């Protein structure tokens, strides 16, 4: 006789669910803390599930979450009356004395959701047993999949429903600017071919040493923090003084050599003092230690909670400690691949773009055409797989003196200070394009250059 399971009480805690919603309404930034722990399907009460889904939608758009904005969001989708009206939101706020316990409530909800899934899996496994499938191995595999789905966070936990995509389409049609890139590079041609730096994306920039990849990253950082963005720089090649000198050089226009020889004029010193006063209020956080991905993750999550976070820059990827830790892989290629995959996951968890500088091997130096390819990325093909966008940098004047260039290309002007950036990969737009920037020594920065893209693209495509 088939055994009937009797459930006297389905594990759930409506008070914890209400308290978590209240915590989010008190402090909308709490949502970044609870997102890794609890998902909409973890809520037992439909009303609170709908409210939490609306909070997630607002968080993706970068909007403030509070009692007024959430009510407007629910009303816009015809769900405010369904959840009990604005009074339901007010009750949630009143039921939660503080937002400091948001993680505690989230853990309760997630734990009880796991219990419910175990009950359901137990019933399903019992049904599999009573079905007496002649293929016992298939029956065991079916049972194992049920348990694996719970360990992975519950079946359906990572499923994006058609209704969610429908809501996103509606939001995009009504307010397309909310889906614009979080950041622009700031060079017209580069923004044109890449369309900017988007949240959840890993952008790779590679070049041989001394070509200019770190300089591009540095200028991007300065441009963003001047615009009020919060940036985390992980630099494993520069110390505090190096960073300071680069900032002063690009912002004040004093060559590093002149600073190091202490040849600044009084006027230049005054300009540095003015810059220091402005810089104190800019949103740059810097790590110069050789850290692991786990340390980077915890640091970035803390910054996001306390200040917000718009961009992470790593210079450069292969110097992170995990690339040399045998616990992260048996070979260098496996370890670099571990770091690459971890950075991709971090960008998706924090919903920020990550720009990772990578070093290239010497392959391009042995070719007649010195321009790099994706195959030149050192140590791991996993980087190529994980990246949303790969940009490769090249300068002809790094390989040719002016005399050598005149002999090799007598009809072409010597490309002094010209940096080529080739978009080798982009998941979302056309790849294979190349742009050029010009080095301006007077201001120690790269500037736009107007030139025909097709000619430059042909040079790379001819490799």
């Amino acid at each position: 006789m088939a055994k009937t399971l009797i459930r006297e009480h389905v594990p759930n805690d409506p008070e914890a669910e209400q308290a978590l919603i209240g915590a989010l309404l008190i402090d909308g930034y709490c949502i970044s803390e609870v997102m890794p722990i609890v998902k909409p399907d973890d809520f037992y009460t439909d009303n609170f599930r709908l409210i939490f889904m609306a909070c997630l939608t607002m968080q993706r758009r970068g909007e403030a979450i509070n009692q007024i904005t959430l009510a407007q969001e629910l009303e816009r989708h015809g769900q405010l009356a369904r959840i009990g009206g604005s009074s339901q939101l007010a009750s949630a706020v009143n039921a939660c004395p503080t937002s400091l316990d948001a993680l505690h409530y989230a853990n309760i909800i997630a734990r009880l959701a796991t219990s419910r899934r175990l009950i359901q899996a137990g019933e399903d496994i019992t049904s599999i047993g009573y079905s007496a499938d002649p293929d016992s191995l298939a029956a065991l595999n079916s049972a194992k999949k049920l348990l694996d789905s719970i360990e992975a966070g519950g079946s359906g936990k990572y499923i994006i429903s058609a209704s969610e995509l429908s809501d996103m389409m509606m939001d995009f049609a009504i307010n397309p600017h909310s889906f614009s890139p979080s950041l622009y590079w700031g060079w017209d041609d580069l923004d044109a071919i890449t369309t900017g730096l988007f949240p959840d994306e890993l952008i790779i920039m590679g070049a041989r040493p001394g070509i200019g990849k770190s300089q591009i990253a540095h200028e991007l950082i300065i441009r963003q923090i001047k615009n009020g963005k919060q940036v985390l720089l992980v630099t494993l090649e520069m110390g505090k003084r190096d960073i300071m000198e680069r900032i002063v050089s690009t912002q004040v226009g004093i060559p590093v050599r002149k600073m190091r020889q202490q040849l600044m004029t009084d006027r230049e010193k005054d300009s540095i003092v003015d810059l220091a006063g402005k810089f104190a209020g800019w949103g740059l956080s810097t790590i110069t230690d050789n850290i692991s991905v786990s340390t980077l993750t915890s640091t970035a999550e803390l910054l996001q909670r306390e200040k917000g976070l718009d961009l992470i820059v790593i210079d450069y990827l292969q110097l992170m400690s995990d690339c040399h830790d045998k616990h992260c892989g048996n070979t260098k290629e496996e370890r670099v691949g571990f770091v690459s995959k971890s950075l991709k996951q971090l960008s998706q968890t924090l919903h920020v773009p990550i720009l990772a500088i990578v070093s290239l091997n010497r392959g391009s130096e042995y070719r007649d055409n010195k321009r790099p390819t994706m195959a030149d990325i050192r140590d791991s093909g996993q980087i190529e797989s994980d990246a949303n966008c790969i940009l490769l940098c090249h300068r002809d004047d790094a390989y040719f003196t002016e005399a050598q260039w005149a002999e090799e290309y007598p009809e072409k002007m010597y490309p002094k200070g010209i940096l080529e950036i080739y978009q080798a990969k982009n998941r979302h737009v056309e790849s294979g394009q190349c742009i050029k920037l010009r080095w301006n020594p007077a201001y120690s920065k790269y500037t736009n250059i107007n030139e025909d893209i097709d000619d430059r693209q042909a040079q790379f495509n001819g490799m």
Side-chain angles (χ1 to χ4, degrees), residues 204-208 211 213 318 358-381 383-385 389-395 399 420-425 432-434 457-463:
I204 297 294
M205 178 170 282
R208 291 291 297 152
I211 297 298
K213 56 188 184 296
Q318 289 102 326
V358 300
S359 63
L360 304 182
N361 60 39
R362 295 180 179 274
S364 62
E365 297 184 0
Y366 300 112
R367 297 192 293 265
D368 291 338
N369 189 335
K370 307 298 184 184
R371 291 170 178 81
T373 69
M374 287 193 289
D376 296 325
I377 296 177
R378 178 177 290 172
D379 299 320
S380 180
I383 295 175
E384 181 180 340
S385 175
C389 175
I390 297 179
L391 302 171
L392 301 175
C393 303
H394 170 77
R395 281 181 61 161
Y399 298 95
E420 301 178 11
I421 302 179
Y422 172 61
Q423 183 166 247
K425 173 186 176 181
Q433 295 174 304
C434 177
Q457 181 177 340
Q459 292 178 354
F460 272 95
N461 291 343
M463 291 185 293

Side-chain angles (χ1 to χ4, degrees), residues 394-397 414-420 436-439 446 449 451:
H394 170 77
R395 281 181 61 161
D396 279 321
D397 61 353
Y414 183 58
K416 183 175 179 60
I418 302 300
L419 176 71
E420 301 178 11
K436 286 185 180 181
L437 300 176
R438 186 187 302 278
W439 176 249
Y446 281 101
I449 182 172
E451 202 167 298

Side-chain angles (χ1 to χ4, degrees), residues 3 55 106 119-120 128 130 134 161 177 198 215 238 243 265 269 306 316 336 358 381 408 411 437 441 449 453:
K3 185 178 179 181
C55 290
I119 292 171
Q120 185 61 55
I128 292 172
Y130 278 111
S161 67
H177 295 293
F198 283 78
Q215 178 66 27
M238 293 191 296
I243 297 169
T265 64
K269 291 177 183 178
E306 293 185 346
Y316 61 90
V336 171
V358 300
E408 187 78 18
E411 297 180 356
L437 300 176
I449 182 172
I453 290 181

Side-chain angles (χ1 to χ4, degrees), residues 35 46 53 100 114 148-149 174 244 260 284 323 347 361 410:
M35 280 172 58
D46 289 338
M53 289 174 65
L100 297 178
T114 299
D148 287 344
S149 70
I174 295 172
M244 180 273 293
R260 294 202 164 191
L284 176 63
C323 293
S347 71
N361 60 39

